[in-house]
Amino acid sequence: MTIDERLFDLLACPHCKGSLLLVDGGFGLRCESCHVTFPIQHGVPVMRVDAVPARKREEKGIASGNQPSALFRIVAGPQANRTFELRAGTCQVLGRADTDVQRTAVFNVDVQLALDEGTKSMIMAYLRQQFSSLPFHRVPDLLLTDGGISRLHAMVVAEGGKVGLLDLVSKNGTEVNGVEVESKLLTQGDVIELGETKIIFEGFS
């Protein structure tokens, strides 16, 4: 599936902020300045920092060590005591893992669940409303073995000193500090509740 034209209009190279060209029959986005082509998978561009040569990243001042990370810790639920982080300029879907025991042994796998058009539009509207920097790079989804979580439950977004949470119209809802929310900018110490899972936002590294 090639990229939605509405999404393409909002995209720029995440490294140099330059324009992108649609290539490979609509299944790739090319930045001529960085000399890199980002693939489009299931209609979603995969813009990985490591796709750009290290020399180019240093020239643009985007070496991985220069980007603050939002830190999270799971404090309740099947994956309690695990931690994960989200770098500035990235977003991540929180969802339910496959119920196959053999496949749920992995806490965070390199996979992205397909988003339908309505969900894509909702995410883009939220990003435009709350954050100044577009586009965001979607990192592999965080899949949790919690039966109370929807397949596509929520999304967390990090930009500099801000972290946002967006419920993706989940069946059981998303709460922050015990209050159900559709979206919220998080502050350090906030607790996200999805099904039986509780995740604390510990701040930035």
Side-chain angles (χ1 to χ4, degrees), residues 91-187:
C91 57
Q92 183 174 43
V93 167
L94 308 178
R96 187 183 71 247
D98 193 294
T99 55
D100 184 329
V101 174
Q102 296 301 317
R103 298 182 62 184
T104 57
V106 179
F107 169 64
N108 187 359
V109 295
D110 189 14
V111 66
Q112 288 186 340
L113 301 172
L115 303 176
D116 60 36
E117 296 303 317
T119 303
K120 290 179 190 176
S121 296
M122 178 176 62
I123 291 170
M124 294 309 299
Y126 174 71
L127 293 178
R128 285 194 297 266
Q129 179 183 13
Q130 294 289 353
F131 296 91
S132 59
S133 298
L134 286 171
F136 283 85
H137 165 59
R138 181 183 170 193
V139 300
D141 302 335
L142 178 65
L143 302 182
L144 302 163
T145 55
D146 183 335
I149 293 178
S150 299
R151 179 174 173 273
L152 293 168
H153 197 105
M155 176 173 275
V156 284
V157 185
E159 180 198 39
K162 296 169 63 177
V163 174
L165 172 70
L166 174 65
D167 180 76
L168 300 179
V169 196
S170 60
K171 181 178 179 180
N172 294 324
T174 300
E175 295 184 358
V176 175
N177 303 327
V179 178
E180 187 167 0
V181 298
E182 292 182 358
S183 65
K184 183 174 176 58
L185 291 176
L186 302 177
T187 58

Side-chain angles (χ1 to χ4, degrees), residues 63-71 85-90 158-161 204-205:
S64 58
N66 296 335
Q67 298 291 324
S69 295
L71 306 177
E85 62 182 64
L86 193 62
R87 289 185 53 196
T90 64
E159 180 198 39
F204 284 92
S205 61

Side-chain angles (χ1 to χ4, degrees), residues 8 11 20-23 28-31 36-38 40 45 47:
F8 178 70
L11 293 177
L20 297 169
L21 300 175
L22 203 58
V23 297
L29 291 170
R30 176 78 179 169
C31 175
V36 65
T37 298
F38 302 100
I40 297 173
M47 296 181 171

